[in-house]
Amino acid sequence: MYISKPVTKVNQIYSRFAENKTSQNQNGYILKLPFRQKINRKMKIAYYVITGLLSLGLLFGGFMQLTHNPEMVSNMAKLGYAPYVLTLLGTLKMLAPVAFWVPGFPKVREWAYAGVVFLAIGAIFSHISSNDAAHAGGGAFTLIECIASYILNQKVNANKTQSVVVA
């Protein structure tokens, strides 16, 4: 809450001016109130579908990497990575969907999105630099999914925080 001048009974002021985006109270203080945006049902569905597909892809890929699938080991060897990198990447891929779906930890979710973006960019770069650009599409698809999920997450969860700003 940002207050430039002391205000008493903020809850009464908030409820009194809840209908206006910018209002003035009896002391001349201007209240700027961010309001809950009505979230379109289609936007929520899109968020759940895209985040669900991203989560399933990460869980499947993480499982394949954690179990050291022979195809994954050979693909990582072609890219020039040691087999132990599979364990690290698989663990991170398995933890990211947990962070996406567990409520109440928005900073952890932000870090998970950042981690998936770094992972996808690293995958794209690795495939392109090893002359295997044909397989860079998976990383690009994951990157697009992650960005779309993040943007929709911001829009869907924007209404969960409200603050009173007094200028």
Side-chain angles (χ1 to χ4, degrees), residues 50 139-149:
I50 290 173
F141 183 72
T142 302
L143 181 63
I144 291 168
E145 264 185 325
C146 185
I147 291 170
S149 175

Side-chain angles (χ1 to χ4, degrees), residues 5 13 22 61 64 83-84 108-109 113 116 131 133 136 139 151 158 166:
K5 297 180 182 180
I13 293 170
T22 303
M64 296 294 279
Y84 66 84
V108 174
R109 184 177 297 128
Y113 277 119
V116 172
N131 296 325
I151 291 170
V166 179

Side-chain angles (χ1 to χ4, degrees), residues 6-83:
V7 176
T8 58
K9 301 180 183 178
V10 174
N11 291 336
Q12 290 177 356
I13 293 170
Y14 177 75
S15 64
R16 181 175 166 197
F17 298 107
E19 299 302 319
N20 303 324
K21 288 187 178 178
T22 303
S23 301
Q24 206 169 21
N25 67 3
Q26 68 267 13
N27 298 331
Y29 297 78
I30 296 175
L31 300 176
K32 295 179 182 176
L33 305 171
F35 289 92
R36 291 186 179 186
Q37 298 173 352
K38 290 187 178 181
I39 302 301
N40 192 350
R41 185 171 182 201
K42 292 178 184 178
M43 189 179 301
K44 274 189 176 181
I45 292 171
Y47 166 70
Y48 288 124
V49 168
I50 290 173
T51 306
L53 290 173
L54 176 64
S55 297
L56 287 174
L58 290 172
L59 288 171
F60 179 73
F63 176 77
M64 296 294 279
Q65 289 175 336
L66 278 176
T67 57
H68 288 258
N69 185 305
E71 185 177 336
M72 295 296 282
V73 173
S74 68
N75 286 340
M76 291 297 276
K78 288 177 190 174
L79 295 175
Y81 293 109

Side-chain angles (χ1 to χ4, degrees), residues 140-161:
F141 183 72
T142 302
L143 181 63
I144 291 168
E145 264 185 325
C146 185
I147 291 170
S149 175
Y150 178 78
I151 291 170
L152 288 171
N153 176 46
Q154 295 299 311
K155 289 183 180 184
V156 167
N157 292 323
N159 66 343
K160 293 189 179 178
T161 59

Side-chain angles (χ1 to χ4, degrees), residues 77-97:
K78 288 177 190 174
L79 295 175
Y81 293 109
Y84 66 84
V85 175
L86 287 171
T87 305
L88 174 66
L89 294 177
T91 303
L92 296 175
K93 282 184 177 182
M94 296 290 276
L95 291 175

